[in-house]
Amino acid sequence: MTEIKAENWLLFFSAEQARRPAVIRQILTKRLSNSALFWGMRYQILDYINVYPQLDTQYYDYQIDLLCQQKKLKRNKAGLVSLTQLGTANKEKLKGRRQLACPQLFSMYRVSDLVWMIRLLIQVASEARWGNNRYYVAVDNFECQMVVKRWLKKYGMHALQDSLLHDLTEFLDSEDQLDAWIFCAQFIGHNTIPLTIQQLSTLTGLTLTEVEVVSLDLTSRFALHIVESGSTLTSIIQHFRSQNSLYEKSNAALALVKKGNKIIDIAQQKRLKESTIREHILNAAIFNVDFPFSLFLNAEEENRLLQLLPDDIDKWKYKMVESEQEELSFFKYRLFAIKRSRETLEY
């Protein structure tokens, strides 16, 4: 993606809730400690995991400082950042621009690779339709080329052409006409040269970032449409599904606890530290809305935590309950914070 303008980061901040810029950076780039996941949940930005994997983190930090200098953000003594009145007004304007409709797909699929995959499929189908067997393959991605070759060997060219025509027509029929045109204008076809992002920006009046957002948004949602519709192209899309080891390990640990295994036994079985298993459990509590908190927290412990902690969860610190750490470990404290967040946040 082209360079993100500083003002775009305003979308991730709030006037009511001071936020840590570092947490937002970690979520966007998929650097996911349990702390980052917890605060990402508190900030309600977990859907944006991995949206900007190649983000220049130093430049991002500079941009946050710049927004503070411009009085669009303000930073308190603890380093937490919130929107100013000017920043809130700018954020409202930004909301009117093109945004990702399903940012969570970026943690599920390798969307940047899917962009090239879909363009290659279009080119191959188009050239074959015109009987052109000698053409320059514009998508220089060996993985994509091998995936297409394997699929064609199994299903054939006619199946590719029929599936693409059907799936694209069905998907684009319900999309904004301008967005659909931007999406298709970047395809390579027989005697058809794709338009560049700069050309599309000039022709539509949208910013470069908006044009890219449209392309990524429709690519990710078209891929999801293919899978959900049961298209023969599904296996191609699933090839680019991300391996979420963090999610899988967390759910695996939770499943073992549900079967009656103790954390110490799971740690020995997996040859891991108990602290690692506890972190997996905490992550599972964040990922799963139906997490069984009662397996780890009883009513007495919850009541005691309520007595020791203030109403505002963002102001909670473990040192507030550390005097009773024998009964109220950090593990229980964080689980309770996750549970209370689920009960109080509007999703």
Side-chain angles (χ1 to χ4, degrees):
M1 184 175 281
T2 55
E3 181 180 300
I4 305 299
K5 292 185 178 179
E7 66 175 6
N8 286 285
W9 302 126
L10 296 175
L11 292 166
F12 294 93
F13 289 91
S14 165
E16 295 77 26
Q17 181 189 51
R19 298 181 171 183
R20 294 173 173 83
V23 170
I24 296 172
R25 174 178 9 98
Q26 290 162 356
I27 294 297
L28 295 175
T29 56
K30 204 177 181 180
R31 290 165 174 79
L32 305 176
S33 64
N34 177 256
S35 177
L37 287 171
F38 170 73
W39 287 106
M41 179 185 68
R42 291 290 308 155
Y43 300 161
Q44 295 181 282
I45 60 171
L46 289 184
D47 282 350
Y48 289 85
I49 289 175
N50 205 39
V51 168
Y52 299 108
Q54 305 303 320
L55 178 66
D56 183 331
T57 55
Q58 289 186 332
Y59 190 58
Y60 163 84
D61 292 339
Y62 162 78
Q63 289 177 310
I64 299 302
D65 290 338
L66 179 63
L67 290 168
C68 290
Q69 294 171 22
Q70 294 173 345
K71 308 299 182 183
K72 296 175 183 177
L73 292 175
K74 58 183 178 182
R75 193 191 306 266
N76 65 22
K77 293 181 180 179
L80 299 175
V81 174
S82 57
L83 289 169
T84 63
Q85 188 173 0
L86 176 61
T88 300
N90 276 259
K91 179 178 178 178
E92 290 304 312
K93 291 180 181 178
L94 288 169
K95 285 182 178 179
R97 298 181 183 177
R98 263 63 173 188
Q99 306 293 337
L100 294 171
C102 298
Q104 64 271 26
L105 294 177
F106 285 70
S107 65
M108 296 169 58
Y109 293 95
R110 291 153 48 193
V111 176
S112 59
D113 289 323
L114 282 174
V115 169
W116 298 116
M117 185 73 254
I118 292 171
R119 291 180 185 179
L120 178 59
L121 290 173
I122 296 293
Q123 183 186 20
V124 170
S126 174
E127 296 289 4
R129 173 65 180 81
W130 291 92
N132 183 16
N133 296 321
R134 294 186 178 183
Y135 59 92
Y136 174 76
V137 179
V139 176
D140 185 20
N141 184 305
F142 182 75
E143 181 183 11
C144 289
Q145 293 173 12
M146 290 301 100
V147 170
V148 172
K149 287 180 179 179
R150 285 199 299 267
W151 191 93
L152 287 173
K153 187 175 181 179
K154 181 176 181 179
Y155 294 99
M157 186 62 70
H158 289 303
L160 174 62
Q161 293 168 334
D162 292 344
S163 294
L164 273 178
L165 180 61
H166 175 270
D167 295 341
L168 274 171
T169 302
E170 189 175 67
F171 172 70
L172 294 175
D173 186 55
S174 60
E175 294 297 317
D176 175 86
Q177 289 188 353
L178 179 59
D179 289 357
W181 178 77
I182 290 171
F183 180 55
C184 294
Q186 296 179 75
F187 292 155
I188 306 154
H190 181 71
N191 292 333
T192 301
I193 300 175
L195 296 178
T196 66
I197 293 172
Q198 289 79 6
Q199 289 172 324
L200 289 168
S201 175
T202 301
L203 289 168
T204 61
L206 299 178
T207 66
L208 295 175
T209 300
E210 283 184 289
V211 171
E212 286 191 291
V213 165
V214 169
S215 177
L216 291 170
D217 180 45
L218 267 69
T219 295
S220 58
R221 290 193 294 107
F222 177 50
L224 184 63
H225 171 79
I226 288 173
V227 173
E228 291 183 339
S229 67
S231 167
T232 54
L233 296 173
T234 296
S235 61
I236 291 180
I237 303 302
Q238 294 290 44
H239 175 86
F240 295 95
R241 190 172 181 90
S242 298
Q243 297 298 314
N244 195 334
S245 60
L246 184 66
Y247 182 84
E248 292 169 359
K249 289 177 181 178
S250 299
N251 277 353
L254 177 59
L256 288 172
V257 171
K258 285 182 175 180
K259 290 180 179 179
N261 293 279
K262 296 181 179 179
I263 289 179
I264 186 173
D265 296 328
I266 298 172
Q268 292 175 351
Q269 177 185 337
K270 300 290 185 180
R271 296 183 180 180
L272 296 171
K273 295 180 180 178
E274 288 182 51
S275 59
T276 300
I277 302 301
R278 290 192 185 93
E279 185 163 304
H280 289 166
I281 297 296
L282 291 175
N283 290 341
I286 292 171
F287 292 138
N288 295 278
V289 294
D290 58 348
F291 183 85
F293 289 96
S294 60
L295 290 178
F296 307 94
L297 280 168
N298 59 47
E300 183 180 342
E301 290 168 332
E302 289 190 25
N303 289 332
R304 184 57 183 148
L305 283 164
L306 276 176
Q307 294 171 7
L308 293 169
L309 295 165
D311 292 335
D312 188 348
I313 300 174
D314 288 342
K315 295 180 179 178
W316 287 12
K317 295 181 179 179
Y318 181 55
K319 66 181 181 181
M320 295 175 177
V321 301
E322 203 167 13
S323 60
E324 302 188 29
Q325 59 180 300
E326 288 188 11
E327 291 77 23
L328 301 173
S329 64
F330 178 81
F331 175 68
K332 291 180 180 293
Y333 158 81
R334 179 51 63 82
L335 270 179
F336 185 61
I338 295 169
K339 182 181 180 183
R340 290 291 292 170
S341 293
R342 291 210 175 280
E343 294 170 345
T344 57
L345 288 176
E346 294 182 5
Y347 290 92

